[in-house]
Amino acid sequence: MLKNLQLLQRLKIWQKLILIALFMGLPIPVITWLYVTEKGNTIGFAQKELYGTELLLPLQKLAKEIANHRGLASALLRGETSLQSQLSEAARGVEQQLAAAEEQDRREIGQTGNTYGGLLQTSGKLRALRQKWNLLKSKTAQTEARANFDEHTQLIAEVNDLIIYAGDTSNLILDPDLDTYYLMDAVIIQIPRLAEEANRLRGLGAGLAVAKKATPEEFAQLTTFFSQVQVTLQNLERSFGKAYAANPSLKDRHDGQLEILAKEVNGFIVWADRQLTRSSDSSMLATQFLAAGAPSIERLMQLHQLALDDLKTLLQARVDKVKRERNSVLVLTVLGLLLTVLAVAVITRGVNQQTQALTQLIAHIDNGNFEERAPVLSSDELGRTAQAFNNMLDNTRGLMQSRTERDEIQRSIIKLLDEVSGVAEGDLTREAEVTEGMTGAIADAFNYMMDSLRQLIGKVQNVSQQVNSTAAETQTSAERLAQGSQEQAAQITNTTMALAEMTRAIQQVAESAELSAAVADQSLSTTHKGSEIVQHNMHGMLRVLEQVQETARQMQQLSERSQEIEEIVHLIDEIADRTGVLALNASIQAATAGEAGAGFAVVAREVEQLAGRSADATKRISTLIRTIQGGTRDALSAMEETSREVLAGSKLANQAGQSLTEIEGVTNRLAELVRAIADDCKLQARSSTQLSQTMAQIAKITNQTTNGVIQSAVTVKSLAELADELRASVVSFKLPGNAPGKVAGPHFQAGKAAYGTAHLN
């Protein structure tokens, strides 16, 4: 460490300034690099989200075209042959949108050499969709209507899954901002789901319009579709409501499109319910049903396009904002470094100029030029030093003697030096001659000094011996103390490093606790959504239960009406029997009447044949009525079983709702506990940071103490060496044996007084 200090002492001032600037500016590039890296990650995250949005629109249009093809194919396979040309046109629409999605998938991203499909990992899924569509298109004409409808639905579900997958791989699902998150939820999940449910209702309704009748299962599907569309519409309105709350400008941009969509969708549901389940008019065409749902689908696609554009705009604004922040920090950092370099250069230049001026002045003085002066270039310490030099030269110039006086004084001094030269060899017995000249006072003072020096040398010899022994003991103690201080400094340094590591760990725990609190809040929100969905499901099952019970009552009434029909059939059967008896009697009477009753006999036979056919018809009707009654009883049993299952499902849904409510409470408590833990971790992190700073100060003070002890040891060692040298030096002096001290002579006193007076003048 001492070597390092000596190395610093050998550096010039401008080198020290540059070294200080380097040490102070070294953290700035590191911090700037960390900041730029973090902002670069944020930009990359949002940019990948933008890449994901490019694939959403063609996939949504593809799902719409497949749904349109599904509705036309359902009507065509049920017997509406006039839709063949429209079905071919719909197939071409599917091909176009599939080709657009594949083209976007193959498109390169800027100059990176990567494609959207490579980045989002969607190429393989698009190829699988292409294969399934080709297979479905090729066998549409040979497939039963219901199976074809289900295959189309499965293909659309895979397209919607691909939309969600693209959102997942492009970071859209993990978007951190509220407005863009809920726009993403609407574009990726809610709008595709609502479009599919509305299109399924259109496709099924178009098929039923052709068939003019629907099975109980199809009626149940219609009821389910009505409920699903309304629930999904509510979820879509909730997502847009939260996006509007986070960013009110979005609501102004959408200009009531969501409210118009809700009215159109609800209007279509009411119209479809009236046409398919409540109307007795069976003259509606499939094209009319498809056209009735088209406005709501088109409105939904417009809202999808608008929300997608808003999502892109917000993401691009976020990218631009982060880029501006990053570039501003870079510019400020570079500007600060340039200003620092400029300041160091200016300060160094000023210091160098002033020190060079002082150096040149000292060189002139050394050469005997006392007229030179140093320019004062600054008002700092160096400038004040130059001014002090100039003032000193001005004050001492009047005290300079002439050359003759200097020669006379020099000769006297040389003579005096010759007389006292033996003193230089250690001979303290010599004395100088006292004259009347200027050096007489000096000679007298020299003699007085020699007498005092003899006494001093004697004392120095004794004291140097004592100092030598004491310095050796002090050096030993100082070395032991220095070693202990070094060990203590090392232990404090290790403790400081451990505390710093512990502080970083506590800060990481605090950050993790904050992240856990955010996750707990999101879990609480998800649980609340699940509870609401279960409540909607329970209400829907209760409505299904009411409809099943109503159907059971109608089936019971139908059973009662069939019993009335059976009684009427028995009455007709009795009438037929009586008619047969009357025909037989008429035949007997006609036979007894002879030729006069021949015409009446023909009528009697016809009546008898009619009675026989009536009896056969009543038997067949009785058989059909018994079959209907049996089917009605089975249907009633199935309805009762369905009612029990629906009631049990309602109970289970209620239990699930209660469980979700309990889970919501537990999640809420967990979120509170996690937030409390995060607060405690923050407090602990601050305390650890303060403790670490305190230990760092202690370590600094200990290092300073250690340096002081080491310096003391070095000083004591130097003192011992000087004592040895001093003792060795005074040993060579020759002292007279116990000579008494002399008093300064009159020449010394006079010379002293004259010198003092001249000096004062």
Side-chain angles (χ1 to χ4, degrees):
M1 185 173 182
L2 291 175
K3 293 181 179 179
N4 294 331
L5 292 175
Q6 293 175 358
L7 178 62
L8 290 175
Q9 292 174 357
R10 287 196 296 267
L11 294 177
K12 297 180 180 179
I13 295 178
W14 66 271
Q15 293 174 339
K16 293 179 180 179
L17 289 174
I18 293 176
L19 188 62
I20 292 172
L22 287 176
F23 281 135
M24 293 181 65
L26 184 62
I28 296 177
V30 177
I31 295 173
T32 304
W33 178 79
L34 293 175
Y35 178 83
V36 171
T37 301
E38 191 271 334
K39 291 300 182 182
N41 293 333
T42 303
I43 294 172
F45 189 93
Q47 191 65 55
K48 193 173 183 181
E49 290 185 83
L50 278 172
Y51 295 150
T53 58
E54 297 296 334
L55 199 59
L56 298 181
L57 185 60
L59 289 177
Q60 182 60 37
K61 289 183 178 180
L62 175 61
K64 174 193 171 186
E65 294 297 333
I66 296 175
N68 187 31
H69 188 272
R70 175 182 59 190
L72 293 171
S74 176
L76 179 63
L77 293 175
R78 290 177 183 265
E80 189 65 42
T81 57
S82 62
L83 298 178
Q84 182 62 50
S85 60
Q86 297 184 24
L87 182 65
S88 301
E89 183 66 24
R92 285 192 293 272
V94 174
E95 293 287 346
Q96 291 176 357
Q97 296 304 326
L98 187 58
E102 291 173 341
E103 181 180 0
Q104 183 65 37
D105 184 79
R106 292 190 301 268
R107 181 182 170 190
E108 291 188 0
I109 301 175
Q111 303 296 329
T112 61
N114 196 6
T115 62
Y116 282 87
L119 179 66
L120 304 179
Q121 303 174 10
T122 54
S123 301
K125 294 183 179 294
L126 275 176
R127 287 194 295 270
L129 282 178
R130 165 68 74 176
Q131 295 174 357
K132 292 181 180 179
W133 160 247
N134 292 333
L135 180 62
L136 177 61
K137 181 178 66 172
S138 63
K139 67 176 185 178
T140 295
Q142 294 82 24
T143 309
E144 189 266 333
R146 180 62 182 276
N148 184 264
F149 190 91
D150 292 340
E151 290 177 359
H152 277 83
T153 301
Q154 179 62 34
L155 185 59
I156 295 173
E158 292 183 6
V159 174
N160 290 337
D161 289 341
L162 181 56
I163 292 175
I164 296 176
Y165 180 79
D168 189 14
T169 56
S170 64
N171 301 327
L172 280 169
I173 302 296
L174 303 176
D175 190 89
D177 294 340
L178 287 178
D179 50 359
T180 51
Y181 176 81
Y182 285 108
L183 283 177
M184 174 278 302
D185 180 67
V187 170
I188 291 181
I189 298 176
Q190 304 301 337
I191 291 179
R193 183 181 297 171
L194 181 59
E196 166 57 8
E197 291 170 354
N199 277 315
R200 287 177 70 185
L201 182 58
R202 289 179 64 210
L204 182 59
L208 295 179
V210 177
K212 308 300 182 184
K213 60 180 179 179
T215 64
E217 183 180 357
E218 290 173 335
F219 274 115
Q221 285 184 347
L222 286 174
T223 305
T224 302
F225 289 164
F226 293 152
S227 300
Q228 288 178 349
V229 171
Q230 291 176 343
V231 171
T232 306
L233 180 59
Q234 292 174 358
N235 293 333
L236 179 62
E237 291 175 336
R238 186 181 299 109
S239 294
F240 273 108
K242 292 183 178 180
Y244 295 159
N247 190 348
S249 63
L250 293 175
K251 188 173 183 179
D252 298 334
R253 278 179 45 79
H254 292 180
D255 195 20
Q257 291 293 321
L258 183 62
E259 290 77 6
I260 298 173
L261 172 66
K263 291 180 181 179
E264 291 181 349
V265 171
N266 289 324
F268 174 62
I269 291 175
V270 172
W271 181 84
D273 185 25
R274 184 173 61 251
Q275 294 294 329
L276 295 176
T277 62
R278 305 181 188 275
S279 177
S280 59
D281 184 13
S282 60
S283 61
M284 184 182 59
L285 299 177
T287 54
Q288 294 176 342
F289 202 93
L290 292 174
S296 60
I297 299 299
E298 291 299 326
R299 181 74 62 183
L300 190 61
M301 293 301 297
Q302 293 176 6
L303 185 61
H304 179 274
Q305 179 68 56
L306 189 59
L308 186 60
D309 292 340
D310 290 335
L311 180 59
K312 292 179 180 179
T313 302
L314 292 175
L315 290 175
Q316 187 61 50
R318 186 194 304 167
V319 171
D320 295 339
K321 178 183 176 182
V322 176
K323 285 183 178 179
R324 286 195 300 271
E325 293 176 352
R326 181 194 62 185
N327 295 336
S328 298
V329 170
L330 286 175
V331 171
L332 290 176
T333 302
V334 173
L335 183 61
L337 291 175
L338 290 177
L339 290 176
T340 302
V341 172
L342 180 61
V344 171
V346 171
I347 294 172
T348 303
R349 182 172 178 272
V351 170
N352 286 337
Q353 289 178 349
Q354 191 65 71
T355 53
Q356 288 176 2
L358 289 173
T359 303
Q360 292 175 359
L361 176 62
I362 293 171
H364 287 299
I365 294 173
D366 186 53
N367 294 328
N369 184 8
F370 295 97
E371 301 297 330
E372 190 70 25
R373 296 292 182 268
V376 180
L377 302 177
S378 64
S379 59
D380 55 8
E381 288 80 0
L382 290 175
R384 290 195 294 271
T385 301
Q387 186 64 43
F389 262 103
N390 294 336
N391 295 335
M392 181 191 69
L393 291 175
D394 292 338
N395 294 330
T396 58
R397 183 175 58 182
L399 301 177
M400 299 296 179
Q401 297 174 337
S402 64
R403 181 176 299 275
T404 304
E405 292 174 345
R406 290 199 300 269
D407 292 341
E408 181 64 27
I409 293 172
Q410 187 174 4
R411 283 193 295 271
S412 300
I413 291 173
I414 291 173
K415 180 176 180 296
L416 179 62
L417 289 176
D418 291 336
E419 292 174 351
V420 299
S421 60
V423 178
E425 298 174 357
D427 186 4
L428 300 182
T429 60
R430 300 282 296 272
E431 291 186 357
E433 178 183 358
V434 179
T435 62
E436 296 297 333
M438 186 175 182
T439 58
I442 298 176
D444 194 11
F446 176 76
N447 295 332
Y448 177 74
M449 180 193 68
M450 290 302 298
D451 184 64
S452 300
L453 185 60
R454 295 187 191 101
Q455 299 178 18
L456 177 62
I457 292 300
K459 294 179 181 180
V460 167
Q461 288 179 346
N462 296 327
V463 172
S464 62
Q465 184 66 34
Q466 297 175 1
V467 169
N468 190 19
S469 60
T470 304
E473 296 176 357
T474 305
Q475 180 182 359
T476 304
S477 300
E479 289 177 352
R480 288 198 299 269
L481 181 59
Q483 184 177 2
S485 297
Q486 289 177 343
E487 294 177 356
Q488 181 183 2
Q491 293 177 357
I492 291 175
T493 302
N494 294 332
T495 304
T496 303
M497 294 174 62
L499 280 174
E501 185 65 26
M502 183 184 72
T503 301
R504 288 193 293 271
I506 290 175
Q507 289 176 349
Q508 292 177 357
V509 171
E511 294 175 357
S512 300
E514 289 181 354
L515 182 58
S516 300
V519 173
D521 291 336
Q522 189 172 3
S523 175
L524 179 61
S525 176
T526 305
T527 305
H528 183 67
K529 290 181 181 179
S531 178
E532 292 179 353
I533 293 173
V534 169
Q535 292 294 330
H536 289 307
N537 187 19
M538 185 173 68
H539 293 324
M541 294 183 72
L542 291 176
R543 289 196 297 271
V544 172
L545 178 60
E546 292 176 358
Q547 292 178 358
V548 170
Q549 291 175 350
E550 179 64 25
T551 305
R553 286 194 296 271
Q554 293 178 0
M555 295 294 293
Q556 184 66 32
Q557 292 177 0
L558 179 62
S559 177
E560 294 174 357
R561 296 294 183 272
S562 65
Q563 290 179 357
E564 294 176 0
I565 294 173
E566 186 176 7
E567 293 176 357
I568 294 172
V569 169
H570 286 314
L571 180 60
I572 294 173
D573 193 16
E574 292 177 358
I575 293 173
D577 292 338
R578 292 182 180 180
T579 302
V581 172
L582 290 176
L584 180 60
N585 292 331
S587 297
I588 294 173
Q589 292 296 328
T592 57
E595 294 180 359
F600 188 69
V602 174
V603 175
R605 284 195 297 273
E606 292 294 331
V607 171
E608 184 179 7
Q609 292 176 359
L610 179 61
R613 288 197 298 272
S614 298
D616 294 337
T618 54
K619 290 179 181 179
R620 287 195 299 272
I621 291 173
S622 297
T623 302
L624 290 175
I625 289 173
R626 284 192 294 273
T627 303
I628 292 171
Q629 289 177 346
T632 303
R633 285 192 296 273
D634 294 340
L636 286 174
S637 299
M639 289 291 181
E640 292 176 357
E641 182 65 25
T642 302
S643 299
R644 286 193 295 272
E645 292 294 333
V646 171
L647 184 59
S650 300
K651 292 180 180 179
L652 291 176
N654 190 16
Q655 294 175 0
Q658 294 176 356
S659 299
L660 281 174
T661 303
E662 295 175 358
I663 291 172
E664 183 178 1
V666 173
T667 305
N668 192 11
R669 178 58 180 163
L670 177 61
E672 293 176 355
L673 291 175
V674 171
R675 283 192 290 269
I677 292 171
D679 295 337
D680 293 338
C681 288
K682 289 180 180 178
L683 292 175
Q684 186 66 28
R686 286 195 291 271
S687 299
S688 299
T689 302
Q690 294 175 356
L691 180 59
S692 178
Q693 292 174 353
T694 303
M695 289 302 297
Q697 293 177 356
I698 293 173
K700 182 178 180 182
I701 294 171
T702 304
N703 288 329
Q704 293 175 354
T705 304
T706 303
N707 294 334
V709 171
I710 293 173
Q711 187 64 36
S712 298
V714 174
T715 304
V716 170
K717 184 177 180 181
S718 300
L719 179 61
E721 293 175 354
L722 290 174
D724 290 337
E725 293 177 358
L726 179 60
R727 187 168 57 85
S729 299
V730 299
V731 166
S732 61
F733 285 105
K734 299 178 181 178
L735 299 176
N738 298 325
K742 295 177 66 178
V743 180
H747 292 86
F748 172 72
Q749 299 294 339
K752 179 179 179 182
Y755 177 76
T757 302
H759 182 70
L760 290 175
N761 292 332

